[in-house]
Structures are given as structure tokens and as C-alpha cells.
Amino acid sequence: EVQLVESGGGLVKPGGSLRLSCAGSGFTFSNAWMNWVRQAPGKGLEWVGRIKSKPDGGTIEYAAPVKGRFSISREDSKKMVYLQMSSLRTEDTAVYYCATGQFFDYWGQGTLVTVSS
Amino acid sequence: DIVMTQSPDSLAVSLGERATINCKSSQSVLYSSNNKNYLSWYQQKPGQPPKLLIYWASTRESGVPDRFSGSGSGTDFTLTISSLKAEDVAVYYCQQYYSSPYTFGQGTKLEIK
């Protein structure tokens, strides 16, 4: 059974940093493209970024609102993908999901990030 | 960026009736080299993560009931629920994965009439 479990969310002050983690199991993690998607309270879905598998080049892409502030990395030996977030703003407040694949076939339950003073 | 626009924003349908949600992209998401539309549909129930229903515009994900179907090509797409059940109450999103940023529609809230 495919499982994705996000962790690392919490309350952080504007300008602060946070690292989210996503642990995958039940699939060949090293071959998976991994995405981060966020959802602000009561709002729709917003793609944050993606990291392709190393066999597919390991390319990393970001949405414009987070480019230069957020960084995605992966550790295939641990079946983990990370979202390092810095210079956080109040508008980054959201539930952050990791999701697999080119079309997002599996999703974690999400972790809430609240940016507030 | 490709803008995805869904209509309507909300929809109320009687149990057993058909529900139709439309999605329009600001540019074609049909990749000519493989003739595939890079368009997916998701269902999100309250307090849950989204669930993939349809990919390549019309391919039903494994385990998704056959009352859900996707159609369309190029810039215009439709998600149809042929006979609405109570458990289909949710917000539905389309998404293009043709080019980065991989944008979602604003969502359509489906309720029971």
C-alpha cells in the first residue's frame, strides 16, 4: 500500500524558516517524481514544486511565488523528500501536501504551516 | 502560465441525476507528439487530501467508480458523474500537467439538491 506521511509543520514567525519532510513507502521511491502542493485555509490547491527522479534527471521546478525562498530535495536511500522553506510570509500559511507522479496519483494527509507573528 | 477555469463554481444536483463540471485551459494541453491531453481531475472531501479520479483527460484511475468519466481535448474538458450518490459530495478540481507551473482550476463544489 502506498503511503506518504508529511511532517514538520507548525507555527513560525514571518521571515522564519521551516523544513517539511515527506516519507514514502509502498512504491519504488527512487523512480518517483515528487511534488509539493499547498492549500491555504478555505482555498483551492496550489502547486508549489516538483523534483523528478534521478533516472529522469532529478530536475527541480518551483512555482513563482516560492522560487528563491523554497528548496526541494530528496534522499532516496531514506525514501524522503524535503521542502525547505525560508523567508516565510503570512501568505504561505497552508496545509502542505506531498504527492507522487506526473499526475498526482497519491497524496499524503498534509501538514499545516502557520506563518503568524 | 496556463490558467485553468472551471464552471460552475458550485453545483447542486439531485441524487441519481447527472452532474457535469467543465474545465477550460487558456492554451491547449494536448501534446501533439503522443496525442495525449495532460489534464487530470481530483475529488476532495472535507478534511481529506485530494484523490485522483481521471488522468490523460479520460483515463479513470484504478478503483474509481465508472459513474465518473472525463472527456474533452485541447482546451475544453468535462467531468461527468452519471448518477450522483451522496458520497460524491466534494470539491472537484481539474489540473494541467502539460507545462510548469502545473496549475489547478479554482474548484467546483458539488452538493445534493
Side-chain angles (χ1 to χ4, degrees):
Chain A
E1 180 196 3
V2 172
Q3 279 201 317
L4 296 167
V5 179
E6 301 94 339
S7 59
L11 176 62
V12 61
K13 287 182 168 49
S17 298
L18 208 57
R19 189 178 84 154
L20 305 184
S21 301
C22 170
S25 61
F27 62 102
T28 306
F29 188 90
S30 58
N31 289 342
W33 297 9
M34 297 300 297
N35 301 274
W36 287 96
V37 177
R38 68 184 180 183
Q39 187 168 37
K43 302 296 185 184
L45 302 169
E46 180 185 22
W47 175 77
V48 171
R50 159 185 291 174
I51 184 166
K52 289 186 177 179
S53 64
K54 288 188 171 65
D56 289 324
T59 308
I60 305 173
E61 300 167 294
Y62 299 96
V66 308
K67 197 168 186 178
R69 301 188 298 124
F70 289 13
S71 175
I72 298 174
S73 61
R74 62 190 299 155
E75 199 167 359
D76 290 341
S77 62
K78 294 185 177 180
K79 300 183 181 180
M80 298 287 291
V81 63
Y82 305 100
L83 180 65
Q84 178 68 49
M85 305 185 293
S86 59
S87 303
L88 282 161
R89 305 166 180 167
T90 55
E91 56 264 35
D92 295 319
T93 293
V95 173
Y96 284 74
Y97 298 101
C98 62
T100 58
Q102 184 179 23
F103 38 84
F104 304 176
D105 42 4
Y106 295 100
W107 297 65
Q109 289 297 312
T111 187
L112 176 62
V113 173
T114 304
V115 185
S116 174
S117 55
Chain B
D1 297 3
I2 299 177
V3 176
M4 307 299 290
T5 304
Q6 292 180 226
S7 62
D9 290 333
S10 63
L11 180 62
V13 174
S14 300
L15 292 172
E17 295 299 304
R18 178 186 298 259
T20 301
I21 299 170
N22 299 300
C23 175
K24 188 174 184 67
S25 56
S26 61
Q27 62 190 75
S28 176
V29 298
L30 174 62
Y31 193 37
S32 54
S33 67
N34 60 9
N35 201 37
K36 286 181 181 289
N37 287 283
Y38 284 56
L39 188 285
S40 53
W41 289 96
Y42 303 87
Q43 175 193 64
Q44 187 178 32
K45 297 181 179 179
Q48 296 184 20
K51 173 188 173 184
L52 176 66
L53 297 176
I54 303 283
Y55 56 97
W56 301 131
S58 60
T59 302
R60 200 178 302 115
E61 171 72 333
S62 175
V64 173
D66 61 6
R67 64 180 181 276
F68 291 90
S69 63
S71 62
S73 185
T75 61
D76 291 279
F77 300 91
T78 300
L79 175 70
T80 301
I81 308 171
S82 60
S83 179
L84 191 72
K85 292 182 180 284
E87 62 258 37
D88 300 334
V89 168
V91 178
Y92 292 84
Y93 296 92
C94 61
Q95 185 210 12
Q96 64 82 18
Y97 48 98
Y98 180 88
S99 67
S100 177
Y102 306 107
T103 41
F104 291 88
Q106 79 277 17
T108 295
K109 187 173 184 179
L110 176 59
E111 298 173 313
I112 304 296
K113 186 187 291 183

